[in-house]
Amino acid sequence: MKTGSGGHYIPEVSCASWRLGVEAHNVIDWKTVPISCEGYIGNYILGDQYRSDSKTVNQQAYFYAKTLNITSRDVWVFDIDETSLSNLPYYAEHGFGVEPYNATAFNQWVDLGTAPALPETLKLYKKLLSLGVKIVFLTGRPLDQTTVTTANLKRAGYHTWFKLILKDTSIYHGKTAVTYKSSERKKLEEKGYNIIGNIGDQWSDILGTNTGDRTFKLPDPMYYIS
């Protein structure tokens, strides 16, 4: 991509367009952030724009929730990684998504249990609780990370919830995140709960079936999960 009257190549412009394509779900099934965009993505994630974008999404979620007549059967589904908790300390050491995903290294980070909260999502969580909404955490983390995930959520400020659902790999091995999360949301609805809201950083968090009355997509240009 070129810009200006002289048609000069500016990497930041091209990378901004790539990020837009990612967030709009036009760029899909990608494995890593383009090497030339490491600096741009890092600056975005560490800068004010990421916080501002996250704030806008969470604000709209709260504005919507305030219009509802909440009942005891209403739940709100939160993803965890890059939605409720931030793995930025890990990704800052691994090229902001430029490096290929390393399950061993990432799980070692998860096991530390020190991921901080995404501040704007934590605010939404607290506001929804004050409205009487039941909170459901639905994550792609495996069942064997239940203890550390529970402790990390509480350490980060998420002190209570209705359900914490982690992935049973004996059931969902080889299944996409869309299939897994759709199935778990269906189970909630079959038990009589109404999913009034659903928020996540991946399109796979909010696509599929039983997605809820309204969905909210947080920014995440660091990785893609199908």
Side-chain angles (χ1 to χ4, degrees):
M1 179 172 291
K2 296 181 179 180
T3 188
S5 59
H8 300 296
Y9 177 75
I10 299 181
E12 289 76 10
V13 175
S14 180
C15 292
S17 297
W18 180 83
R19 182 173 68 84
L20 174 62
V22 166
E23 300 300 356
H25 207 221
N26 292 320
V27 178
I28 64 173
D29 296 328
W30 50 279
K31 302 301 182 184
T32 60
V33 171
I35 294 176
S36 61
C37 295
E38 178 178 356
Y40 170 82
I41 296 300
N43 287 334
Y44 168 73
I45 291 292
L46 295 174
D48 293 337
Q49 191 62 53
Y50 175 63
R51 285 289 302 275
S52 178
D53 292 347
S54 299
K55 181 178 181 179
T56 296
V57 174
N58 280 292
Q59 278 186 336
Q60 292 303 312
Y62 176 58
F63 293 158
Y64 155 70
K66 284 200 304 180
T67 68
L68 305 177
N69 294 317
I70 305 300
T71 74
S72 62
R73 308 299 288 181
D74 290 336
V75 302
W76 194 292
V77 176
F78 283 76
D79 172 53
I80 291 184
D81 293 301
E82 271 57 68
T83 297
S84 304
L85 298 177
S86 172
N87 298 302
L88 183 54
Y90 170 83
Y91 283 103
E93 296 294 324
H94 294 272
F96 298 102
V98 167
E99 294 183 15
Y101 176 69
N102 184 315
T104 300
F106 183 73
N107 286 330
Q108 288 174 345
W109 154 255
V110 169
D111 288 341
L112 295 176
T114 57
L118 270 76
E120 304 304 334
T121 303
L122 182 58
K123 290 177 184 177
L124 173 64
Y125 159 86
K126 292 179 177 179
K127 289 177 179 178
L128 292 177
L129 283 178
S130 71
L131 294 175
V133 179
K134 288 182 168 61
I135 304 299
V136 174
F137 289 109
L138 174 56
T139 176
R141 293 184 177 192
L143 280 173
D144 61 8
Q145 291 180 340
T146 299
T147 299
V148 70
T149 299
T150 298
N152 198 160
L153 284 169
K154 291 184 175 182
R155 178 176 182 174
Y158 301 95
H159 298 298
T160 185
W161 50 80
F162 173 59
K163 281 185 177 294
L164 169 60
I165 304 171
L166 289 89
K167 187 176 181 179
D168 185 342
T169 53
S170 68
I171 297 174
Y172 296 109
H173 178 71
K175 304 294 185 182
T176 65
V178 170
T179 299
Y180 156 60
K181 293 199 170 186
S182 293
S183 176
E184 292 299 324
R185 291 191 300 261
K186 182 179 180 181
K187 291 178 184 178
L188 286 171
E189 293 189 335
E190 287 177 340
K191 292 179 180 178
Y193 295 101
N194 178 37
I195 302 173
I196 60 172
N198 178 10
I199 187 168
D201 65 297
Q202 297 290 314
W203 280 95
S204 54
D205 296 328
I206 59 177
L207 292 178
T209 64
N210 309 86
T211 54
D213 295 338
R214 190 166 173 192
T215 61
F216 297 87
K217 168 70 171 66
L218 285 164
D220 183 2
M222 294 188 296
Y223 57 85
Y224 179 89
I225 298 175
S226 62

